[in-house]
Amino acid sequence: MSARLDKWLFHARFYRTRPQAQAATAIGKVRLNGVRIQKPSHALKPGDILTLGKGSEVLAVRVRALGKRRGPALEARHLYEILE
């Protein structure tokens, strides 16, 4: 089972809109398992590691689940685990 990268980033609330998630992916702000991804449609599955550039910070997260919708923040928090 897999999901589109841009859709998952939107469901997990890393970006406010799906076009913002698509743009961030297209310019190379997202790495999947250490590889820069530039296609918003790239497949994502549980267990993958994402590295995101958010402002001056770099955030690494492990995908725990695939979201079916963009729900409340508490629900979105269960989709990933922040790595130290």
Side-chain angles (χ1 to χ4, degrees):
M1 179 171 250
S2 64
R4 284 179 57 112
L5 178 59
D6 62 330
K7 211 168 179 183
W8 187 88
L9 290 168
F10 174 63
H11 289 172
R13 294 182 162 263
F14 286 104
Y15 294 95
R16 288 183 157 205
T17 66
R18 191 162 164 202
Q20 286 177 337
Q22 290 169 338
T25 304
I27 63 171
K29 284 191 172 184
V30 179
R31 289 180 183 261
L32 177 62
N33 298 322
V35 178
R36 182 171 285 160
I37 302 298
Q38 294 183 326
K39 290 174 64 176
S41 63
H42 196 84
L44 182 72
K45 61 187 183 315
D48 284 342
I49 306 291
L50 288 175
T51 309
L52 310 163
K54 295 288 280 180
S56 63
E57 295 182 9
V58 174
L59 183 65
V61 297
R62 175 177 289 124
V63 177
R64 295 169 96 188
L66 305 176
K68 295 182 193 260
R69 67 184 184 111
R70 181 176 168 94
L74 186 59
E75 184 179 312
R77 182 64 182 92
H78 293 290
L79 299 179
Y80 62 91
E81 164 190 359
I82 297 176
L83 303 175
E84 298 296 323

